Amino acid sequence: MKLSRGPRSRHRLCALVVLSVGLFFSASPSPATAAGRPVAWGCGGSRNYGQCSVPSGLSGVTAIAAGLAHSLALKGDGTVVAWGCGLDLVNGQCSVPSGLSGVTAIAAGTVHSLALKSDGTVVAWGCGSPYDDYGQCSVPSGLSGVSAISVSVSHSLALKGDGTVVAWGCGVGADQGQCNVPGGLSGVTAIAAGQGFSLALKGDGTVVAWGCGGGATGCSLPSGLSSVIAIAAAQAQGVAVNGDGTVLAWGCIVPFTYGQCSVPSGLSGVIGVAAGYFHSLALKGDGIVVAWGCGSGFNYGQCSVPSGLAGVAAIAAGDYHSLALVPLPDQTITLGSLPNRIYGDPDFNLSATASSGLPVAFAASGRCRVNGATVQLTGAGSCTVTASQPGDANYNPAPDVSQTFAIAKAGQLISFGPLANKTHGAADFRVIAAASSGLPVSFAATGRCTVNGATVHLTGPGSCTVTASQAGNLNYKSAPEVSRTFLIAPRPCTVPRVVGKRLAAAKRTIATRHCRTGKVGYVYSRKRKKGVVISQSRRPGKVLPARSKINLIVSRGRRR
């Protein structure tokens, strides 16, 4: 295999082996880590493809990976974000498949990307140019039970949960034996894909290498490897962390040596490593990153660790850039106490603060709604207010804080004015009452009356009691009943004209006018027939108290 020390064309095999970093181990299972934000450096000169331009606001990241011209971030929700792929280095490696979710690990290659899902399956994308497609995107059918992934220029590796390794790619012109997993290899805990070679870390701390058929030197394992805990591989070099926290690097042959194998003297306390084309990175247990290499005119700033960078949880090395994952500080929300309320209480404001000082947002469920920080009660029952703070580039999202309070039914009163006395025979009339709740009022009647809806009908003299009630509903208690009683006077006596009527007819007429027939006298009359009323004691039309008496004089006829 011919190795080129100059910048590579997208159409050449001699491309970088990039680190598929989840957290500390190259291509090994990613230990759980607090969510953080990626920090990128390098991308100097003409090697800026956007891979250092971390998307604004990107947070909640749990793993990172660096490729030739792109970067990947795995978020805590199992989704993947990609950036870079500028200029002419676009092979689809930044085009994350739509709907991809449930991802637990990521790996970034020269022209392709891999994602490991929680169900143990692997998804690949990129390889858009036929000149760069060596089958590294063609995930073997039925591959499952995968626990870690790694990628290189022309091949991909998968570590299965049973400790075995699967490799694919290595197409025409790119087969250096790096896909020929040694027979019987098992007990593997981490993997790393280099250019033309592959590495496997076993559970006993030993390292196995294969490939190197085209001149790669990463298979020449050095003496001094002991109880290895992490490995990485790149264009030429392999890097390993011994159990004592020291680092060994090998495979840097002239003229492809840029200092990436020259481990800084005294480096110790290392827990993870990453390997790039021209440089190597180490992550120390105290969260400090150490970089070396970038020599022979290939310094693009990827070895210039940002001043003050600390507390790092993961690293990744690309061709021309480096990535670090910095866990963000947690934050908490303090939500003021929410006392129980009564439906109809006025709107009120919520009070909550985040320890970060960032603004807190509110949501409500139940018998209420919230607008900004103002709560409005919509009914009796209960209301749950949830305060949230999604975090930003400097803080993790805060755990939501919820409080539930009860909303009691509101009381209500009925306004029902006095009812005037009536006279029996008066026309039906309507009564009016209103509930403070605005709910409809019902009426009932007792005594000498009936009620239909709100219309009262008098049935006789005496008294009538009308009672107004409101039974309440989901939001209001029943109202205290309000009763109004009025008197019903008998109908008055309206004196009829009965002169000229026979006595029996006169008596009937008098009765219909609510009067009584008083004394009846008889006299002889030459003008009236016998039995006809010839005079009455009360003037017709006069209104008298009910059952007033009217005396009558009746004709006896002519005297004989």
Side-chain angles (χ1 to χ4, degrees):
M1 177 179 68
K2 180 179 179 181
L3 299 177
S4 169
R5 64 180 295 168
R8 293 152 296 159
S9 163
R10 60 183 290 188
H11 304 310
R12 297 178 59 189
L13 170 61
C14 298
L16 166 69
V17 174
V18 290
L19 175 66
S20 70
V21 170
L23 279 178
F24 303 136
F25 307 99
S26 69
S28 64
S30 303
T33 184
R37 60 181 176 88
V39 176
W41 63 96
C43 304
S46 61
R47 297 298 180 255
N48 185 356
Y49 307 106
Q51 72 272 38
C52 287
S53 300
V54 179
S56 176
L58 178 61
S59 62
V61 174
T62 58
I64 50 176
L68 166 66
H70 76 297
S71 301
L72 298 178
L74 171 61
K75 299 192 68 176
D77 61 4
T79 60
V80 178
V81 178
W83 64 94
C85 300
L87 301 179
D88 65 341
L89 297 180
V90 180
N91 285 274
Q93 68 271 39
C94 286
S95 301
V96 180
S98 176
L100 180 63
S101 62
V103 175
T104 59
I106 49 176
T110 301
V111 296
H112 78 301
S113 301
L114 289 185
L116 171 61
K117 300 191 66 175
S118 58
D119 62 2
T121 60
V122 177
V123 177
W125 63 95
C127 303
S129 167
Y131 300 103
D132 296 313
D133 186 355
Y134 305 102
Q136 69 270 39
C137 288
S138 301
V139 180
S141 176
L143 179 63
S144 62
V146 176
S147 60
I149 50 176
S150 182
V151 294
S152 176
V153 177
S154 57
H155 76 298
S156 301
L157 296 178
L159 171 61
K160 300 191 68 173
D162 61 4
T164 61
V165 179
V166 178
W168 63 95
C170 304
V172 176
D175 187 358
Q176 315 300 320
Q178 69 270 38
C179 290
N180 299 329
V181 181
L185 179 62
S186 63
V188 176
T189 59
I191 48 176
Q195 181 169 322
F197 71 102
S198 301
L199 299 178
L201 172 60
K202 300 189 66 174
D204 60 5
T206 61
V207 178
V208 177
W210 64 94
C212 301
T217 57
C219 298
S220 302
L221 301 178
S223 60
L225 292 177
S226 175
S227 301
V228 175
I229 60 171
I231 54 174
Q235 179 262 355
Q237 81 271 30
V239 186
V241 181
N242 282 326
D244 61 2
T246 59
V247 177
L248 291 177
W250 65 95
C252 298
I253 59 173
V254 176
F256 303 106
T257 179
Y258 313 100
Q260 72 271 40
C261 288
S262 301
V263 180
S265 176
L267 180 62
S268 61
V270 175
I271 58 174
V273 285
Y277 193 95
F278 307 106
H279 72 303
S280 300
L281 297 178
L283 175 61
K284 301 186 67 173
D286 59 4
I288 298 299
V289 178
V290 178
W292 62 95
C294 303
S296 303
F298 293 99
N299 183 356
Y300 301 99
Q302 69 271 41
C303 289
S304 301
V305 180
S307 175
L309 182 65
V312 174
I315 51 176
D319 277 37
Y320 313 111
H321 75 299
S322 300
L323 293 178
L325 179 61
V326 181
L328 301 180
D330 292 329
Q331 58 172 326
T332 58
I333 293 173
T334 301
L335 176 60
S337 178
L338 299 177
N340 293 334
R341 304 274 174 168
I342 298 174
Y343 178 63
D345 283 354
D347 298 351
F348 61 94
N349 290 327
L350 297 166
S351 174
T353 57
S355 59
S356 63
L358 295 173
V360 175
F362 300 100
S365 60
R367 304 287 284 174
C368 57
R369 55 174 165 254
V370 64
N371 182 13
T374 302
V375 177
Q376 181 183 45
L377 306 182
T378 60
S382 66
C383 170
T384 298
V385 173
T386 299
S388 61
Q389 212 305 309
D392 63 3
N394 298 311
Y395 286 91
N396 283 318
D400 289 349
V401 175
S402 296
Q403 283 194 39
T404 299
F405 60 91
I407 306 171
K409 288 185 178 183
Q412 58 174 327
L413 297 174
I414 294 175
S415 297
F416 187 19
L419 298 178
N421 293 335
K422 300 288 183 178
T423 299
H424 180 230
D428 294 351
F429 61 96
R430 292 180 61 83
V431 289
I432 298 174
S436 59
S437 62
L439 296 173
V441 175
S442 299
F443 298 97
T446 58
R448 304 291 284 172
C449 58
T450 61
V451 65
N452 182 12
T455 301
V456 178
H457 172 72
L458 305 180
T459 60
S463 67
C464 172
T465 298
V466 178
T467 300
S469 62
Q470 212 304 308
N473 64 3
L474 293 175
N475 298 324
Y476 288 92
K477 300 175 183 178
S478 60
E481 293 182 345
V482 178
S483 296
R484 300 299 182 193
T485 299
F486 61 93
L487 299 177
I488 306 171
R491 293 180 182 180
C493 167
T494 302
V495 178
R497 180 179 182 83
V498 295
V499 173
K501 294 181 178 289
R502 299 192 66 84
L503 178 58
K507 287 181 176 181
R508 288 194 297 270
T509 300
I510 289 171
T512 61
R513 297 297 186 92
H514 311 290
C515 306
R516 290 186 298 165
T517 300
K519 294 179 180 181
V520 178
Y522 294 89
V523 296
Y524 291 105
S525 173
R526 288 180 294 178
K527 296 181 179 181
R528 299 288 185 181
K529 293 180 178 181
K530 183 180 179 179
V532 174
V533 176
I534 60 175
S535 70
Q536 60 188 71
S537 63
R538 304 288 191 178
R539 177 173 53 82
K542 189 172 183 179
V543 179
L544 301 172
R547 297 183 60 76
S548 293
K549 292 181 178 181
I550 302 174
N551 298 327
L552 303 177
I553 302 296
V554 179
S555 172
R556 289 179 180 273
R558 291 178 178 271
R559 186 185 297 271
R560 294 179 182 262

